Amino acid sequence: MENEENVGGENLTVMVEFILLGFSDFPRLEGFLFVLFLIIYMSILIGNGLIIFVTKTDPTLQTPMYFFIGNFSFLEICYTSVTMPRLLTNLWSQKRNISFLSCALQLTSFLVMGATECFLLAVMAYDRYVAICKALYYPIIMNHNTCIKLVIGSWISGIPLQIGQTYQIFSLPLCGSNKLNHIFCDIPPLLKLACGDTSVNEFSIYADVLILAMIPFLLILWSYSKILNTILKMPSATGRSKAFSTCSSHLIVIGLFFGSAIITYLRPKSIHSAEADKVLSLFYTIVTPMFNPIIYSLRNKDVIFALKKLLPR
C-alpha cells in the first residue's frame, strides 16, 4: 500500500507497507523451503538453547570461555528470531506484506544484533588470546566483573549507530514499487526503492561497516596471529593440538559470518544482485547460528562430557 505525492515535479511515494518477495520466483519450492527453514530454525533454537543450559548448570563449565559461548548462543537465538519467524510466515501463508513500522523495527533489531555479534566474536577472540598468551594472568584479567562488562559493552556499543542508520534509510524519499526483493527488511533492497542520489547513505553504510565490522575483524586477526605464534612455541604436542582445536572452531564461525556480511554491505549498490544478496544473507542469518552449536559441542570435549552427564536425566 502506498500514497503518492508530487513534489517539485517528481512523484514521491509515502510507503504504508512493503511486500517482501522472498522466494516468490520459485513458487513450487516454497513448501519445501518452509519445511527446510523450519527444521533449521528449530535446530538453532534447540542446539543453542542446549549450550546455554549446559554452560549455566555444569560446574566444570563455569569459566569465562563458556560464559561467552553461552551469551553467544543466546545472541544467535535472538538474531535468528528477528528474521526467521517472518520468513516462515510468508512461506506458509503467502501473505508477504510487512508494515512500514514493522520493517523499520526488524531492520533496527537485525543491525543492532549483527553489530553485537561482531563485538562479541572479538571479545571471544580476546579471551582466547589472554588464556593462551597470558595464561598466568588469565584469572586476574578475565575476572567475572570484566566478563560481564565486555558482554554488556558488546550489546550496547552498536545501538546508537544502528538506530541512526535505520533512521537515515527510512527518511529517504521512496518512489515506484513497494516490493522488496529480499527475505527480510535489509539495507540493499531498501536503497533500491529510494529516489535520487543515495551516495551519502552508501558512504554512511561503509563507515558503519568499517567501525562495527572491520575493526572487530582486525582485532580478531591480531588476537589469532598472537595465539598462533604462541601455539607454535609450545613444547607439548598435546597442548598445541588442544589449542588449535579450540581456536579453529572459533575461526570457522568468524569466517562464515564476517565473509558473507562484509561482501554484502561493502559491494557498490550498482553491482548488487537480489539473488546473490538472498543467498549471502542466509549465511550470516541462518547458517552461522545453525553451525554454532555443532562447532562448539562436537569439537569440544568439555561440552560433550557435560552433555553426556545430562543424558541419563
Side-chain angles (χ1 to χ4, degrees):
M1 188 180 292
E2 56 192 52
N3 299 319
E4 290 190 357
E5 298 178 1
N6 189 283
V7 180
E10 185 176 5
N11 287 327
L12 302 182
T13 304
V14 179
M15 293 294 180
V16 178
E17 64 179 18
F18 297 98
I19 306 296
L20 288 168
L21 295 181
F23 298 100
S24 58
D25 292 340
F26 310 97
R28 294 182 179 180
L29 288 177
E30 288 193 314
F32 167 76
L33 291 174
F34 173 80
V35 174
L36 176 64
F37 290 144
L38 179 61
I39 293 171
I40 291 173
Y41 185 47
M42 293 306 295
S43 70
I44 290 169
L45 295 181
I46 294 170
N48 285 289
L50 199 57
I51 287 182
I52 294 170
F53 182 74
V54 297
T55 55
K56 291 294 183 182
T57 58
D58 194 286
T60 62
L61 302 183
Q62 303 306 303
T63 64
M65 183 177 82
Y66 295 108
F67 173 75
F68 293 131
I69 288 175
N71 278 276
F72 186 60
S73 292
F74 174 72
L75 171 63
E76 295 289 58
I77 290 175
C78 297
Y79 185 53
T80 311
S81 296
V82 171
T83 57
M84 284 296 284
R86 171 72 64 172
L87 174 58
L88 291 169
T89 301
N90 292 349
L91 288 170
W92 177 258
S93 67
Q94 307 297 311
K95 294 180 180 179
R96 309 178 192 281
N97 56 307
I98 181 171
S99 69
F100 186 91
L101 179 60
S102 295
C103 189
L105 289 173
Q106 186 183 59
L107 180 62
T108 303
S109 302
F110 172 74
L111 292 178
V112 167
M113 290 186 188
T116 301
E117 183 148 346
C118 292
F119 286 121
L120 195 51
L121 285 169
V123 166
M124 292 167 73
Y126 174 72
D127 172 68
R128 291 299 84 208
Y129 159 73
V130 177
I132 294 173
C133 302
K134 298 182 181 293
L136 294 177
Y137 300 99
Y138 182 67
I140 300 172
I141 297 174
M142 301 303 291
N143 60 70
H144 186 63
N145 287 336
T146 299
C147 292
I148 291 174
K149 289 176 183 177
L150 287 171
V151 168
I152 293 174
S154 298
W155 275 94
I156 67 175
S157 295
I159 291 176
L161 281 176
Q162 300 298 37
I163 290 177
Q165 186 67 256
T166 303
Y167 177 78
Q168 283 188 330
I169 296 295
F170 281 89
S171 297
L172 288 169
L174 304 175
C175 55
S177 173
N178 66 336
K179 295 179 179 178
L180 292 174
N181 193 8
H182 205 51
I183 58 177
F184 60 90
C185 290
D186 201 2
I187 292 176
L190 285 166
L191 281 180
K192 289 183 179 180
L193 301 184
C195 297
D197 184 18
T198 59
S199 58
V200 174
N201 300 90
E202 291 185 55
F203 176 79
S204 175
I205 293 166
Y206 296 150
D208 274 9
V209 171
L210 288 174
I211 295 171
L212 302 177
M214 290 303 294
I215 291 178
F217 184 63
L218 292 174
L219 287 173
I220 291 168
L221 291 181
W222 176 85
S223 296
Y224 278 99
S225 66
K226 295 291 185 181
I227 290 170
L228 181 61
N229 185 51
T230 302
I231 289 173
L232 292 175
K233 294 178 180 178
M234 286 183 176
S236 168
T238 304
R240 287 197 301 269
S241 176
K242 185 177 180 180
F244 270 122
S245 177
T246 302
C247 296
S248 63
S249 62
H250 193 181
L251 287 171
I252 291 169
V253 177
I254 291 164
L256 284 172
F257 179 76
F258 280 98
S260 54
I262 288 172
I263 291 171
T264 297
Y265 292 104
L266 289 186
R267 283 183 301 160
K269 178 185 172 183
S270 58
I271 64 169
H272 268 277
S273 162
E275 301 308 318
D277 285 346
K278 290 178 191 177
V279 173
L280 286 169
S281 68
L282 291 175
F283 276 94
Y284 57 82
T285 60
I286 298 175
V287 175
T288 301
M290 180 178 65
F291 280 111
N292 173 39
I294 297 173
I295 289 168
Y296 284 119
S297 59
L298 296 182
R299 294 176 59 87
N300 191 302
K301 293 179 181 178
D302 294 333
V303 175
I304 291 173
F305 183 70
L307 288 172
K308 285 180 177 179
K309 287 195 293 184
L310 289 174
L311 288 178
R313 301 180 188 178

